Amino acid sequence: LGIIEYEPYTLLKKAAFYERHLEEWGQKRLGFTHKLEWNSDTNEWVREVSDNDVGWSTHYLAAQCFKYAVTGDKQARAEAVNFFDTMKWSEEISSIDGYPARSIWAVGERGHQAQHGSGGLPAEWHVTDDGKWQWKGDTSSDETDAHCYAVAIFHDLVAKGEEKERAEEHFSRIASHIIDNGWVLRDVDGKP
């Protein structure tokens, strides 16, 4: 028996539904949001560390910023700060000033890494010097747009004191990388 009925939802109630879903299904990790994929070999859902984890995560960051601006919810502010720190980390881990990684993988973690890159090319995963992490290169303009959008929202709606300075510095590093490299992103191979 199926029953279809109308249940009124406020925007806050709808947001709570999706936030609970992210938590209960384990779709948040290291300050990123992720999709899950069914693994028929192991009969379980596994996390994909994808092409666009940082980009997709900036939408969650912006949502938490808007939520904090409207409600003053301290948990929303804490989530926004955490996700901003992770977004900033994605630029710091790449070893190229102003060049953000698309995704970050903890060596040995469960799940799987994206095996494709931009334009159908193979994925570019780079190991950090300490061997603990891999970061995905071949960053695209949409990833960079996501940084610019989210850092501006974070700066204007959430950041206080030193956080504002860190947001400004992050934006400046990305913009400087693009300008200094002939208005393109340049990956570790020096190619746009």
Side-chain angles (χ1 to χ4, degrees):
L1 176 65
I3 300 173
I4 300 172
E5 62 184 2
Y6 175 74
E7 182 179 347
Y9 265 73
T10 64
L11 185 56
L12 189 60
K13 183 177 176 182
K14 186 175 182 180
F17 172 85
Y18 285 107
E19 287 177 45
R20 187 179 75 244
H21 182 86
L22 288 171
E23 292 291 340
E24 289 174 359
W25 279 78
Q27 290 182 265
K28 287 171 42 180
R29 151 207 162 274
L30 300 173
F32 298 114
T33 59
H34 299 278
K35 74 176 188 172
L36 300 175
E37 294 180 340
W38 182 253
N39 183 327
S40 58
D41 294 335
T42 60
N43 281 340
E44 65 180 336
W45 291 97
V46 294
R47 181 182 299 118
E48 181 197 35
V49 178
S50 79
D51 229 25
N52 296 302
D53 286 353
V54 178
W56 298 130
S57 298
T58 61
H59 299 300
Y60 181 80
L61 166 57
Q64 294 303 310
C65 291
F66 291 131
K67 182 178 179 181
Y68 174 71
V70 171
T71 66
D73 182 329
K74 291 179 182 176
Q75 181 60 33
R77 183 180 192 291
E79 283 285 276
V81 171
N82 179 45
F83 272 69
F84 168 75
D85 289 342
T86 300
M87 183 180 69
K88 190 169 182 336
W89 177 43
S90 77
E91 182 266 333
E92 294 165 346
I93 200 171
S94 78
S95 72
I96 304 169
D97 286 348
Y99 185 82
R102 293 183 86 132
S103 296
I104 298 174
W105 171 267
V107 173
E109 74 175 294
R110 291 190 67 223
H112 69 273
Q113 296 168 285
Q115 296 303 306
H116 58 283
S118 294
L121 297 171
E124 291 183 25
W125 287 98
H126 307 280
V127 180
T128 57
D129 290 341
D130 63 9
K132 294 180 181 179
W133 308 98
Q134 290 181 328
W135 60 274
K136 191 167 189 313
D138 72 336
T139 302
S140 62
S141 58
D142 60 330
E143 292 283 321
T144 308
D145 293 346
H147 275 262
C148 295
Y149 168 71
V151 75
I153 298 299
F154 176 78
H155 178 275
D156 291 351
L157 301 180
V158 175
K160 298 176 181 175
E162 185 180 306
E163 294 165 347
K164 280 197 180 290
E165 293 171 17
R166 292 176 56 239
E168 291 165 5
E169 186 257 344
H170 180 65
F171 188 90
S172 177
R173 286 168 62 99
I174 291 174
S176 294
H177 173 82
I178 294 168
I179 293 167
D180 294 345
N181 284 283
W183 294 97
V184 296
L185 292 166
R186 292 211 187 268
D187 204 336
V188 293
D189 59 8
K191 295 179 183 177

